[in-house]
Amino acid sequence: MIGRLFKAPSAAFRIAIGLTGLLLSLILVSSLLGLIPDERTAVLKSRAAVGEAIAANGSAYITSRDILRLQASLQFVVERNPDLLSAAVRRADGRVMTTVGDHEAQWQPLEDGISTDAQIQVPLWAGQREWGRVELRYEPLTSAGWRGFLEDPLVQIALYLCALGFFIFYFYLRKMLQQLDPSQAVPDRVRTALDTMAEGLLVLDSKGRIVLANQAFARIVGNSPNGLLGDSVLSFDWGGTDGAPLQPELAPWTAALEQGEVQMNEMLRLHTADQGTRTFMVNCSPVLADKDKASGVLISFDDVTELEEKEIELRKAKNEAEQANQAKSAFLANMSHEIRTPMNAILGFTEVLKRGYGKGSEEENRRYLDTIHRSGSHLLGLINDILDLSKVEAGALDVEQIDCQPHLILEELVQVLGVRASEKGIDLSFSADSDIPETIQSDPVRLRQILTNLIGNAIKFTEQGGVEIVLSLDDSGAEPLLAAEVRDTGIGMTREQAAAIFDPFVQADSSITRRFGGTGLGLAISLNLARLLGGDITVTSEPGAGSRFRVTVATGSLEGVPMLAPDSLAQVAAQQATAGIRHWEFPEQDVLIVDDGAENRELVSIVLEEVGLRVDSAENGEVGVRKASEKTYAAILMDVQMPVMDGFEATEMLRKAGMTQPIVALTGNAMKGFEKECLEHGFTAYMPKPIEINSLLELLAGMLGGREVAASEVVPIRPQAAREPAPVAASSAPLYSRLASNERISDLIERFVVRAREQMMTFEAAWKARNFEELQKLAHWLKGSAGSMGFDALTEPALALEEAARAADPAQVEPRLAEVRVLVARLATGTGDVDVDVDNARQPVNGEQAAQGAPPLEAANETGPLVSRLQGNPSFHPVINRFIDRLQDQMEEIEQLQQDNNYNELALVAHWLKGAGGSVGFDILSDIG
């Protein structure tokens, strides 16, 4: 019963506790006033009287020096008092004159000479002089500690009366309050019905005290119905829907009591320790007495917490949907602008050329075509972004984990995007601030895509200063991460803008979109790619002070991986760029290439003919099967996806016909498990597109008996028209391109000659300013472009100048630059142009430079020129140029398919672009499919 009382204290319990406290107070006051007899005080007085009597007699005996009579007196007193344990007479100097009992063992020195209930000392006088003292040791009146407290008679009587009084008060008040409880006026059957209600129910009196509560409300507040009786309804933590505490005068029951009117559908919140915050629909009905005055109020509480939460969720979902619609509407408007701008240029300049309006110079017509080409490339980039975003949102974007060299990827991007940075007059540099691994386990295509986007954005938003990319190895976490930080000195962003730029379709603000263009997709895609690669992208920025984008990717295990020092990156990149070329020699054999892409067929033909094989080709599986049945081939390279008859069907037919020679699958599908599917259809091996030449030749060497040879043993096999003319003895004679007889690229050669002469002014300015970094970039461009255009005499001098500029050694740079200067002055086209003095070459304005074109084999797009990785081999130049021509034709078809929503045909075109683009060295296009 006591446990039940303390668990849910009732009004009777609380009143009984109060009355018991009053009783205890009366006992203590009576004790202080001496109204309650105190046995302990009486005993102390008697002991003091005994001590004083002994002292009086002892003083007389001391005066008469009768110590024996004093001892006898002490002996008599000890024997007549059972509670007196021992006694002694002690001189003033501390010497004991006489003792009774074991006094020395029991007596404890008194603090400050003050007697206690157990030890009493009384002075002895000899005349006017204190001679000594009498010491009396008694039994203690109380025990030590809490036992002594409990043995105190006053404490015992107080505890007895309080305990007895509490139980008397409690049971008496319980009976009396039951008679006075207004809830007893409610019949038991009505109370039972109220307790079965799911709604909480309270009945209050006119002062707001609870006179009735049902089980539902009691459970809400964690009490019992009886335990709530007499409590004020305001003792609970009520609040409004706005979260503010409820003011008593604004409570609906207060209004019901004061106005005598029903209060309906008031929303209140109740905060409880057990159930948290609950929301109730409250209805209050006044209980009217005489003269229509409310003597109480009936309150019902309907719990609507779940309904409110759902309403909040619906409101939140509605807001998110509205925001998404606004973002997509803005995106569609922006995308419409992004598409219409290049489409307007494409259609407009195409119409000009169709109607024959462009009757100006050939340079003007070429400028129109360059504009159409750039616009088509821009549209292609938009398609890439939309396809990537759709894959990300569908969760269908996969990444691979293979060995890749991040420093080489960055070196390539700096060279490619450096052209765009130079056009804006800003610097673009790459460095490292810690040792970095030579290789990591990641996806090189996706890593290149992320870095291209970040560096391209940095260049776009930087007008002065430059962009710096810094590589580092972050090994502070559980797994090592490779970090690349792109730092720019551009326009910067506020914290709010920086927090929003990774959302799809979002840029910093509308003014950024109007000023710089773009769709707002690149960073969203890059962030998802970085997370798929085990890292992240973060940004810190300040308006007007530039931005820092930090991308991290997981490296995989670095055990046994060589580390590269920061100062050796440029040298390692130069060595590895040339070390990857392997040379092969094959015995003369016939090989058949079956591929629907003309560029792929021609590319593979050039590669295989260079190593001594004879090559036939077929444009689909049906033609390939026919040719293979008419002639025996040592091996067949078979594309998988082709019109008319695909590679699977063709291979199965050849195997059924008894063919046992190797058939290699060429496919743009690099998904896991596809290689096994190819082998099950009869293929001997599997080679993914874009085709990696070294891998292809190594695979065929194992099948056809090829061997790897040193570069000095290679005898190039080239068409007669492409061979270099006999050298001219005179050092001042014109330098002609070995490709001059090829009419298809004669225009490119002429443009290169003009640009090379114009660039010499930039060379001279960089040398005058001792800007070795700029000299290195210019020499690198000249080395690649001159070789691609057939001016091989410039390749080695340009390489030497590049290395001298990298070493920042003026003594080496000056003679190398002089040699390049003379060679460029000797450049001539195939028509027999006369020498042109370099010093008189004029610097073109922007429009002229655009008309004269970029370096050969480069296709301009919105992130800078796109350079084929095969540009260093002149044999591939015709294939690359044909691919670029066909790509221009395909852009109109892509646009029409997009407008017609013909996604099946668009997928076929994308498949061609993925395979052909990668095969001719434009690897960045290979992921479009």
Side-chain angles (χ1 to χ4, degrees):
M1 179 185 68
I2 294 176
R4 185 172 69 252
L5 293 176
F6 281 95
K7 183 177 180 181
S10 62
F13 178 84
R14 293 193 296 271
I15 296 175
I17 287 290
L19 292 176
T20 303
L22 291 175
L23 177 61
L24 178 60
S25 299
L26 291 175
I27 294 172
L28 294 176
V29 171
S30 300
S31 174
L32 291 174
L33 296 177
L35 301 178
I36 299 177
D38 189 351
E39 179 183 2
R40 183 173 182 276
T41 302
V43 172
L44 289 175
K45 288 181 178 180
S46 66
R47 289 181 178 182
V50 171
E52 291 175 355
I54 294 174
N57 292 331
S59 296
Y61 296 146
I62 291 301
T63 303
S64 61
R65 296 186 178 182
D66 191 354
I67 299 301
L68 294 177
R69 293 186 65 183
L70 176 59
Q71 183 176 4
S73 177
L74 287 176
Q75 185 72 35
F76 175 78
V77 172
V78 170
E79 291 176 354
R80 292 294 302 270
N81 291 276
D83 56 343
L84 182 58
L85 302 178
S86 65
V89 175
R90 192 183 301 274
R91 290 174 60 92
D93 58 4
R95 186 159 56 92
V96 177
M97 300 301 296
T98 182
T99 63
V100 178
D102 191 7
H103 188 73
E104 292 295 333
Q106 299 182 26
W107 180 262
Q108 300 293 331
L110 295 175
E111 294 183 6
D112 299 327
I114 299 175
S115 300
T116 66
D117 64 336
Q119 294 191 152
I120 296 176
Q121 65 179 17
V122 183
L124 295 174
W125 298 87
Q128 298 298 321
R129 177 176 61 84
E130 184 178 353
W131 179 85
R133 59 184 179 273
V134 176
E135 297 176 352
L136 303 176
R137 171 69 182 184
Y138 285 94
E139 286 280 358
L141 294 178
T142 59
S143 301
W146 61 271
R147 290 187 59 188
F149 175 77
L150 293 178
E151 290 173 356
D152 190 313
L154 179 61
V155 173
Q156 291 177 348
I157 192 171
L159 291 176
Y160 170 74
L161 292 176
C162 288
L164 181 62
F166 170 78
F167 282 100
I168 293 174
F169 294 151
Y170 175 74
F171 287 106
Y172 174 76
L173 289 170
R174 186 178 179 187
K175 292 293 184 181
M176 292 300 297
L177 290 175
Q178 286 178 353
Q179 299 298 323
L180 299 174
D181 186 1
S183 64
Q184 297 299 317
V186 181
D188 290 341
R189 63 179 181 276
V190 177
R191 292 180 59 86
T192 302
L194 295 178
D195 287 339
T196 59
M197 294 177 61
E199 294 178 329
L201 189 68
L202 288 180
V203 176
L204 308 182
D205 62 15
S206 59
K207 296 183 179 180
R209 293 189 296 262
I210 299 174
V211 296
L212 177 65
N214 70 345
Q215 288 286 355
F217 187 84
R219 281 195 299 268
I220 293 172
V221 297
N223 207 328
S224 67
N226 290 334
L228 295 174
L229 298 181
D231 288 346
S232 171
V233 69
L234 294 174
S235 62
F236 303 112
D237 190 4
W238 297 101
T241 54
D242 57 356
L246 179 65
Q247 299 299 321
E249 62 274 10
L250 300 179
W253 46 82
T254 302
L257 286 170
E258 293 178 352
Q259 302 173 13
E261 296 178 356
V262 175
Q263 305 295 316
M264 300 289 292
N265 300 329
E266 296 285 343
M267 298 290 289
L268 293 180
R269 288 195 173 100
L270 176 61
H271 307 280
T272 63
D274 296 336
Q275 301 188 32
T277 302
R278 311 293 294 177
T279 304
F280 297 95
M281 183 77 72
V282 180
N283 296 308
C284 301
S285 178
V287 178
L288 301 178
D290 296 338
K291 299 181 181 178
D292 295 332
K293 184 177 180 181
S295 61
V297 61
L298 174 66
I299 312 173
S300 65
F301 299 90
D302 188 7
D303 192 340
V304 294
T305 305
E306 293 184 3
L307 292 176
E308 185 185 40
E309 290 174 352
K310 290 181 179 179
E311 182 181 356
I312 293 173
E313 291 178 0
L314 289 173
R315 192 181 302 116
K316 181 179 178 181
K318 178 185 177 182
N319 292 336
E320 290 177 351
E322 289 177 349
Q323 292 174 1
N325 285 333
Q326 292 174 359
K328 289 186 177 180
S329 297
F331 163 73
L332 289 174
N334 186 29
M335 185 62 71
S336 175
H337 170 75
E338 291 291 328
I339 291 176
R340 288 176 180 276
T341 299
M343 282 303 302
N344 181 63
I346 293 173
L347 297 177
F349 282 108
T350 302
E351 188 70 15
V352 167
L353 294 175
K354 283 174 62 178
R355 292 177 177 269
Y357 295 158
K359 295 180 180 179
S361 64
E362 184 177 350
E363 291 183 357
E364 185 177 357
N365 291 338
R366 186 180 297 115
R367 186 163 65 249
Y368 295 159
L369 293 173
D370 287 343
T371 302
I372 294 172
H373 180 269
R374 284 194 299 272
S375 300
S377 299
H378 178 62
L379 281 177
L380 184 61
L382 291 178
I383 295 172
N384 280 335
D385 285 346
I386 294 172
L387 290 176
D388 277 344
L389 182 65
S390 64
K391 290 179 183 178
V392 168
E393 291 183 342
L397 190 62
D398 295 326
V399 296
E400 57 182 351
Q401 299 293 327
I402 60 175
D403 285 340
C404 65
Q405 297 175 299
H407 62 286
L408 291 185
I409 294 175
L410 262 177
E411 182 76 23
E412 173 192 340
L413 289 177
V414 169
Q415 295 296 336
V416 172
L417 299 179
V419 176
R420 182 178 168 202
S422 299
E423 290 175 353
K424 295 190 68 174
I426 61 176
D427 296 327
L428 178 63
S429 61
F430 155 51
S431 62
D433 61 4
S434 70
D435 291 352
I436 62 170
E438 182 177 1
T439 61
I440 64 173
Q441 289 288 316
S442 190
D443 190 324
V445 174
R446 295 306 182 184
L447 181 58
R448 180 182 289 105
Q449 183 178 354
I450 295 171
L451 293 173
T452 299
N453 186 273
L454 294 181
I455 299 172
N457 276 351
I459 295 173
K460 178 194 295 186
F461 296 118
T462 302
E463 301 295 338
Q464 295 180 345
V467 177
E468 180 185 10
I469 306 101
V470 180
L471 269 184
S472 62
L473 182 64
D474 183 357
D475 54 3
S476 60
E479 299 292 337
L481 297 173
L482 182 73
E485 189 170 279
V486 181
R487 307 169 181 173
D488 66 63
T489 57
I491 60 176
M493 295 175 288
T494 65
R495 181 175 299 180
E496 293 75 15
Q497 290 172 338
I501 58 175
F502 291 106
D503 295 334
F505 320 119
V506 174
Q507 289 190 318
D509 57 41
S510 57
S511 64
I512 297 297
T513 303
R514 291 191 299 269
R515 181 180 174 188
F516 295 99
T519 62
L521 296 178
L523 287 177
I525 296 170
S526 297
L527 178 63
N528 282 278
L529 290 177
R531 290 174 176 172
L532 286 173
L533 295 178
D536 202 355
I537 298 180
T538 57
V539 59
T540 57
S541 185
E542 183 178 342
S547 304
R548 291 191 174 194
F549 285 83
R550 186 174 187 268
V551 56
T552 57
V553 295
T555 64
S557 175
L558 296 180
E559 184 176 356
V561 176
M563 303 299 289
L564 303 178
D567 55 359
S568 66
L569 288 183
Q571 181 180 359
V572 171
Q575 292 174 351
Q576 293 183 348
T578 57
I581 301 176
R582 302 169 63 186
H583 303 281
W584 299 85
E585 184 179 89
F586 283 71
E588 289 192 9
Q589 299 175 76
D590 293 312
V591 175
L592 176 63
I593 302 171
V594 185
D595 197 311
D596 63 318
E599 296 83 4
N600 292 337
R601 295 197 303 271
E602 186 167 1
L603 172 72
V604 177
S605 297
I606 292 174
V607 171
L608 299 186
E609 288 173 351
E610 285 276 350
V611 298
L613 295 172
R614 296 186 297 269
V615 181
D616 291 336
S617 63
E619 63 271 19
N620 57 59
E622 182 178 324
V623 177
V625 170
R626 186 175 70 249
K627 288 192 174 184
S629 63
E630 296 172 352
K631 182 178 179 180
T632 301
Y633 293 98
I636 298 178
L637 305 182
M638 179 84 70
D639 188 17
V640 172
Q641 185 173 349
M642 294 180 291
V644 184
M645 180 183 293
D646 62 25
F648 284 156
E649 185 178 354
T651 301
E652 290 176 350
M653 291 182 64
L654 292 173
R655 293 305 187 200
K656 290 179 181 179
M659 180 179 176
T660 59
Q661 287 86 348
I663 304 178
V664 179
L666 303 179
T667 175
N669 189 341
M671 297 292 290
K672 295 180 179 179
F674 191 72
E675 180 177 4
K676 180 180 179 182
E677 185 178 353
C678 291
L679 298 179
E680 290 174 350
H681 281 82
F683 284 99
T684 308
Y686 163 90
M687 177 64 61
K689 295 179 182 179
I691 297 171
E692 209 284 315
I693 294 176
N694 283 332
S695 299
L696 175 63
L697 293 177
E698 184 177 2
L699 176 65
L700 291 177
M703 298 176 177
L704 305 179
R707 69 183 185 93
E708 188 172 0
V709 297
S712 59
E713 301 179 50
V714 176
V715 180
I717 302 173
R718 293 173 182 161
Q720 185 67 25
R723 292 178 185 166
E724 185 174 1
V728 180
S731 62
S732 60
L735 285 179
Y736 295 102
S737 169
R738 56 179 166 78
L739 306 176
S741 59
N742 190 335
E743 296 181 357
R744 292 183 59 85
I745 62 172
S746 59
D747 288 344
L748 294 176
I749 294 173
E750 292 177 8
R751 288 159 55 187
F752 168 75
V753 170
V754 173
R755 184 172 183 184
R757 293 168 178 169
E758 293 166 346
Q759 285 288 73
M760 283 309 302
M761 295 184 67
T762 311
F763 273 90
E764 300 295 348
W767 166 241
K768 184 177 180 180
R770 294 300 189 267
N771 188 341
F772 295 107
E773 183 178 358
E774 182 67 17
L775 269 176
Q776 178 186 342
K777 294 178 181 178
L778 291 168
H780 181 83
W781 165 80
L782 183 61
K783 176 187 66 177
S785 299
S788 299
M789 288 294 97
F791 293 104
D792 298 330
L794 265 173
T795 303
E796 290 299 327
L799 175 61
L801 177 58
E802 179 185 8
E803 293 175 350
R806 182 180 293 115
D809 186 353
Q812 296 184 30
V813 169
E814 187 170 13
R816 303 293 186 273
L817 179 59
E819 183 180 3
V820 169
R821 186 186 298 120
V822 171
L823 290 173
V824 171
R826 292 170 53 198
L827 294 180
T829 63
T831 58
D833 288 350
V834 296
D835 295 345
V836 177
D837 188 359
V838 175
D839 295 334
N840 295 328
R842 61 186 179 87
Q843 182 71 16
V845 297
N846 291 338
E848 293 171 336
Q849 191 174 15
Q852 291 155 0
L857 306 182
E858 297 177 356
N861 59 21
E862 65 175 347
T863 58
L866 185 60
V867 183
S868 169
R869 58 180 164 79
L870 304 178
Q871 70 165 347
N873 190 332
S875 301
F876 297 139
H877 294 175
V879 184
I880 298 172
N881 290 329
R882 278 194 290 275
F883 167 76
I884 294 174
D885 291 340
R886 182 176 176 187
L887 179 60
Q888 293 173 348
D889 296 336
Q890 289 285 7
M891 288 311 302
E892 182 176 353
E893 181 181 355
I894 290 175
E895 177 61 27
Q896 187 59 48
L897 292 174
Q898 183 184 11
Q899 292 178 358
D900 296 341
N901 294 326
N902 191 343
Y903 296 110
N904 292 330
E905 290 297 327
L906 187 60
L908 294 176
V909 176
H911 177 78
W912 164 81
L913 181 61
K914 175 179 67 174
S919 297
V920 297
F922 294 106
D923 297 330
I924 200 169
L925 294 178
S926 63
D927 193 53
I928 191 172

